[in-house]
Amino acid sequence: MSKVWLIIQREYLSRVRKKSFIIMTLLTPLLLATFMVLPGLLISMSDETETVMVLDKSGLFEGKLQNKKDLNFIPLAGTLDQAKTVYQETDNTALLYIPEMSLSNPEGFVVYGKKNISIQTQVRLENMLEKEIESQRYLASGLDRETLDKIKANVDLTAINLSDQGEKDNNAIITSIAGVVGAVVIYFFIFLYGVQIMRGVIEEKTSRIVEVMISSVKPFQLMMGKIIGIAAVGLTQFLLWIVLSFVAVTGVSAAFGIDAAPSPAAQYAAGQVAAQGEDVEEGGATVDNPAEKDEFASTIRDVKQSLANLNVGLIFVCFLFYFLGGYLLYGSLFGAIGAAVDNETDTQQFMMPITIPLVISFIMSYSVVLKNPDGPVAFWMSIIPLTSPIVMMVRVPFGVPAWELLLSMGLLVAGFIFTTWIASRIYRVGILMYGKKVNYKELSKWLFYRV
């Protein structure tokens, strides 16, 4: 055990002292902070008020187009040619031409611009014109918009989870995001650091360093020390990224006085409201329409309530278990591939059987498991050790029976022991094998060699 520990120390210290490790550990949080703050900076830079000149020949919209926070209207008189001349002499955004028409046949609207009109401006103008025409049609038929707005029904469906601990609010979007984020981190961690194990073994094999090391330790001890050492490097880098990202985002936001980019929910609400021609506050909250404002506040309240109802402790424990379990299972196989070949080019034929279960589990997670987290596909893929690290992580936030969770964890441990046994049999032969093209038949023979 002491020899394994020495190898772990060597792998850990040699890798965390590399310039590439230090640069990537420091650079990644800075890039993340840039990506989070940059949208806020661009939004503040593009926060300009647009001015649209309006030539209304119909007279139906006189005094009806109200100025917004970021959109002003200037009425014009005269002919269209005169309006175009006046518009060309200004820096205004666009010229809106409304021809003579009736409410029964509203056609012929044209918007002129010196440059291409943005899709948001065009949609806002269309929505405002449509809204005003509808209001005038309602009045002509003896109704008014306020009455119709009161008639409209706004149904907000609340999902409740009837668990053994009682009733809890359940938000499928928040639950899905919590599971998918954990699965994505595990997916990339296995690939990123599994490949590092493979490259490390190939490097030591080609440089013949392994011949010196193998005289002092057993191949199995060497392989386990390398796998655990690189896992410790990955965990260290992962935790540093979390801490440094928080510090970098907070520091950059404070230094430049810019808030980070709004959340996806806030951006969605802001975009939806802007497309309807309403005013939008910074951060995405509406100010003009009380109904929209109440709906947005209700959404934020539901999100906070759903986050509070998540079993964060169980999710975190499961994440750590499947994070390490999945890495150790696949890491031993990556190490075996590295021992079986002489260079990275020869690894392609052996990478496919390893990567297929990972890719399939990742694809099935968001295409099938999220739709039915308790279905047969989700159950079996969360039990099989090769796919359980990703699929079970997606299921956990939805609630998984204890026996399924324990069975999945037990099989993952058994799978790790089995793959480590196979990998160690290949590793002990392949690590000292040079210049021989290896195929699957040859690998199967190595499993039964007596060394």
Side-chain angles (χ1 to χ4, degrees):
M1 188 63 191
S2 60
K3 292 180 179 179
V4 175
W5 175 244
L6 288 174
I7 296 170
I8 293 173
Q9 284 184 309
R10 173 187 173 275
E11 289 293 331
Y12 183 83
L13 295 176
S14 64
R15 290 178 184 277
V16 297
R17 288 172 179 167
K18 285 184 177 179
K19 288 183 180 178
S20 58
F21 177 86
I22 297 172
I23 291 173
M24 285 303 298
T25 303
L26 297 177
L27 191 60
T28 301
L30 289 176
L31 290 175
L32 181 64
T34 303
F35 286 130
M36 293 189 70
V37 174
L38 188 61
L41 177 63
L42 295 177
I43 289 173
S44 65
M45 291 174 62
S46 61
D47 188 19
E48 298 177 354
T49 300
E50 296 183 327
T51 303
V52 177
M53 306 179 84
V54 181
L55 178 61
D56 182 11
K57 302 297 287 185
S58 68
L60 297 173
F61 299 90
E62 184 177 355
K64 303 296 184 182
L65 298 176
Q66 301 295 324
N67 291 337
K68 304 291 182 181
K69 182 181 178 182
D70 56 346
L71 181 62
N72 293 329
F73 294 100
I74 298 176
L76 294 177
T79 64
L80 178 58
D81 291 336
Q82 291 172 336
K84 288 179 180 177
T85 304
V86 174
Y87 167 66
Q88 291 283 3
E89 296 173 352
T90 67
D91 294 328
N92 294 330
T93 308
L95 168 64
L96 175 63
Y97 172 65
I98 304 173
E100 294 183 1
M101 62 175 188
S102 63
L103 288 176
S104 59
N105 188 24
E107 293 181 346
F109 297 94
V110 181
V111 59
Y112 298 93
K114 297 173 186 174
K115 297 179 290 186
N116 291 333
I117 305 297
S118 70
I119 184 66
Q120 183 175 356
T121 302
Q122 186 171 342
V123 171
R124 290 186 74 179
L125 292 174
E126 288 175 350
N127 286 334
M128 295 174 79
L129 293 171
E130 288 175 357
K131 198 172 181 180
E132 182 55 33
I133 292 172
E134 289 174 359
S135 296
Q136 295 197 31
R137 284 179 175 176
Y138 292 149
L139 289 173
S141 61
L143 297 173
D144 60 76
R145 179 170 287 277
E146 289 185 0
T147 304
L148 287 173
D149 289 341
K150 291 178 182 177
I151 295 174
K152 286 183 179 178
N154 186 15
V155 178
D156 186 11
L157 190 62
T158 302
I160 302 293
N161 183 9
L162 291 174
S163 63
D164 295 336
Q165 291 77 30
E167 297 184 3
K168 291 182 179 179
D169 289 347
N170 176 34
N171 188 312
I173 297 176
I174 299 301
T175 308
S176 301
I177 291 175
V180 169
V181 168
V184 169
V185 172
I186 293 174
Y187 177 81
F188 284 105
F189 184 86
I190 290 174
F191 266 118
L192 182 64
Y193 291 98
V195 171
Q196 282 198 23
I197 294 174
M198 185 180 69
R199 288 176 177 170
V201 173
I202 295 174
E203 183 181 344
E204 290 178 352
K205 182 179 177 180
T206 52
S207 64
R208 304 294 177 95
I209 294 176
V210 71
E211 294 179 7
V212 179
M213 299 175 68
I214 214 74
S215 62
S216 302
V217 298
K218 295 179 180 178
F220 178 78
Q221 294 173 323
L222 180 60
M223 187 185 72
M224 288 306 300
K226 184 177 289 295
I227 292 173
I228 297 173
I230 293 177
V233 173
L235 276 176
T236 302
Q237 194 169 46
F238 184 67
L239 293 175
L240 285 174
W241 278 343
I242 293 175
V243 175
L244 294 177
S245 296
F246 176 77
V247 173
V249 171
T250 306
V252 172
S253 298
F256 293 95
I258 300 170
D259 293 333
S263 65
Q267 292 183 43
Y268 172 76
Q272 189 178 36
V273 172
Q276 294 171 354
E278 303 292 347
D279 282 348
V280 181
E281 283 184 341
E282 290 186 17
T286 63
V287 294
D288 265 7
N289 193 332
E292 294 284 353
K293 188 174 182 178
D294 291 343
E295 185 178 351
F296 182 76
S298 175
T299 303
I300 298 298
R301 188 168 54 251
D302 290 343
V303 169
K304 290 180 179 178
Q305 184 65 38
S306 300
L307 287 174
N309 288 333
L310 284 177
N311 193 341
V312 178
L314 177 64
I315 294 174
F316 182 71
V317 170
C318 289
F319 173 76
L320 283 183
F321 181 86
Y322 286 103
F323 184 83
L324 294 174
Y327 166 77
L328 292 174
L329 187 144
Y330 280 97
S332 59
L333 295 176
F334 277 109
I337 293 175
V341 300
D342 293 334
N343 53 67
E344 284 193 43
T345 306
D346 296 336
T347 62
Q348 300 303 319
Q349 58 175 324
F350 301 115
M351 287 286 285
M352 186 67 73
I354 296 179
T355 56
I356 283 179
L358 277 174
V359 174
I360 289 178
S361 59
F362 186 70
I363 294 172
M364 298 298 283
S365 292
Y366 62 81
S367 62
V368 176
V369 178
L370 284 179
K371 292 180 180 176
N372 187 8
D374 297 320
V377 175
F379 170 78
W380 286 109
M381 292 193 73
S382 62
I383 295 299
I384 298 172
L386 290 174
T387 55
S388 63
I390 292 179
V391 177
M392 182 56 88
M393 202 56 236
V394 176
R395 290 187 62 199
V396 166
F398 289 93
V400 179
W403 71 270
E404 290 187 19
L405 198 57
L406 292 175
L407 177 62
S408 173
M409 289 181 171
L411 288 177
L412 182 58
V413 173
F416 161 62
I417 295 173
F418 179 69
T419 55
T420 303
W421 178 81
I422 291 178
S424 64
R425 305 289 290 187
I426 297 173
Y427 191 87
R428 62 178 185 153
V429 178
I431 200 69
L432 297 176
M433 190 78 72
Y434 299 98
K436 185 175 183 179
K437 290 295 181 183
V438 182
N439 51 33
Y440 287 105
K441 184 178 180 182
E442 185 68 21
L443 285 180
S444 63
K445 292 180 180 178
W446 290 3
L447 296 177
F448 304 101
Y449 276 1
R450 292 188 176 182
V451 179

